[in-house]
Amino acid sequence: MASDATTKSGGLLETVKTIVYALLIAGLFRSLLFQPFWIPSGSMKDTLLIGDFLFVNKLAYGYSYASCPSIPAFGIDAKKICGFVDGDNTRLFGSEPERGDVVVFRHPVSGADFIKRVVGLPGDRVQMKNGVLHLNDEAVKLEHGGTFVETMEPQGPQGGLPRCENGAVGQGGKCEKTRLIETLPNGVSHSILNIETSFVDNTGVFTVPAGHFFFVGDNRDNSTDSRVTQSRGGVGFVPFENLIGRADRVMFSSAGRSMFAFWTWRSDRFFKAIE
């Protein structure tokens, strides 16, 4: 008959094995299928709000070095793990994004994760004129979409304040932005916001190279994206291999500094499709 000590030892070993297997399965799930992503900034308002939580679909565009997990807080970097496949701009089971997809990708220089919307495909000519997106020398269709209103208060864990089109707004006041509905040439429609006339409202012509994509944020005057080159601190053209996956649906959303503050949950955004 086994002693109590042996039984306890065996039970502990089984527990440890179960935990290890669970972590391995979770790691495999994260690396190959879906990656969790919190929205940290307002660059994609009002499509995505600060505090939205979603899973990025890695199956959408196949796999590259960027598909590997990256957790800077623990020193885990995708290039350190999968750097051996970096640099050739190819993907395993690769499928290119469609115009209008909302995509999480690795910044070509810093390696930080960004989330923006694809507007320019390889070979496209992209230009901003007076705040209007032009693709291949044609202005995209714009329609009035009303006014986006949010409260002037700290948002998310970083506690940043929103920017407003209606000037200086006191704490607790209504922060307003013009909302427009933009329709891309393939028929994809989504809302964009305007705050002010900024330097990225008028640009030169960008010709997207082969194997690269052009991204912009929906909150046009509050987004660091492809309208600014990498040499000037922007995103520039993003290589195909830097794509992580497509954002399809918001799973959970919290307006507060912590997901545990249930009184700040936005239940109307739970399982909301991303358009």
Side-chain angles (χ1 to χ4, degrees):
M1 181 178 296
S3 67
D4 290 343
T6 302
T7 302
K8 289 180 180 180
S9 176
L12 178 60
L13 179 61
E14 289 302 315
T15 300
V16 171
K17 288 169 61 177
T18 299
I19 293 173
V20 170
Y21 292 152
L23 291 174
L24 289 174
I25 293 172
L28 184 65
F29 180 85
R30 188 185 191 280
S31 298
L32 298 181
L33 302 178
F34 299 94
Q35 176 175 318
F37 191 84
W38 282 97
I39 302 302
S41 74
S43 68
M44 283 295 291
K45 290 179 181 176
D46 64 334
T47 302
L48 296 170
L49 303 181
I50 296 174
D52 282 351
F53 174 78
L54 49 89
F55 283 103
V56 179
N57 180 3
K58 291 188 174 184
L59 297 172
Y61 310 128
Y63 302 94
S64 70
Y65 89 92
S67 303
C68 283
S70 179
I71 309 176
F74 293 92
I76 299 175
D77 181 80
K79 286 192 175 183
K80 291 181 180 179
I81 301 174
C82 299
F84 63 92
V85 294
D86 181 25
D88 58 5
N89 204 23
T90 59
R91 305 181 72 90
L92 183 64
F93 309 122
S95 177
E96 292 191 354
E98 296 182 6
R99 199 189 310 275
D101 283 1
V102 176
V103 178
V104 174
F105 60 89
R106 292 267 153 78
H107 189 285
V109 176
S110 71
D113 290 351
F114 277 55
I115 184 165
K116 308 289 179 184
R117 188 180 299 274
V118 179
V119 297
L121 305 179
D124 279 347
R125 290 164 52 85
V126 184
Q127 185 176 19
M128 298 295 299
K129 295 182 180 180
N130 298 318
V132 179
L133 175 66
H134 286 64
L135 295 173
N136 299 314
D137 306 312
E138 295 288 336
V140 300
K141 180 181 177 182
L142 285 177
E143 300 174 280
H144 289 292
T147 302
F148 173 69
V149 181
E150 58 186 336
T151 302
M152 173 56 73
E153 61 184 3
Q155 297 182 343
Q158 298 177 2
L161 295 173
R163 295 174 59 199
C164 314
E165 186 181 15
N166 56 326
V169 177
Q171 190 81 4
K174 291 184 177 180
C175 178
E176 300 178 355
K177 301 175 184 64
T178 297
R179 179 195 282 121
L180 298 170
I181 305 302
E182 182 178 82
T183 301
L184 300 175
N186 60 345
V188 174
S189 294
H190 58 276
S191 65
I192 63 173
L193 301 181
N194 180 72
I195 302 173
E196 61 186 3
T197 299
S198 65
F199 75 98
V200 287
D201 284 336
N202 289 282
T203 71
V205 177
F206 299 92
T207 300
V208 186
H212 291 72
F213 299 88
F214 194 97
F215 289 87
V216 294
D218 290 348
N219 192 1
R220 291 289 161 84
D221 297 318
N222 194 41
S223 174
T224 299
D225 49 44
S226 295
R227 293 172 294 173
V228 178
T229 62
Q230 294 163 16
S231 62
R232 297 181 60 192
V235 171
F237 303 122
V238 178
F240 186 33
E241 67 178 353
N242 284 50
L243 308 188
I244 296 174
R246 187 180 64 219
D248 294 325
R249 189 174 297 274
V250 174
M251 304 304 294
F252 172 83
S253 184
S254 173
R257 299 179 69 89
S258 170
M259 65 176 292
F260 298 107
F262 63 86
W263 56 91
T264 67
W265 292 356
R266 306 183 186 107
S267 58
D268 60 319
R269 297 186 64 79
F270 290 8
F271 309 110
K272 179 180 175 63
I274 297 173
E275 298 178 348

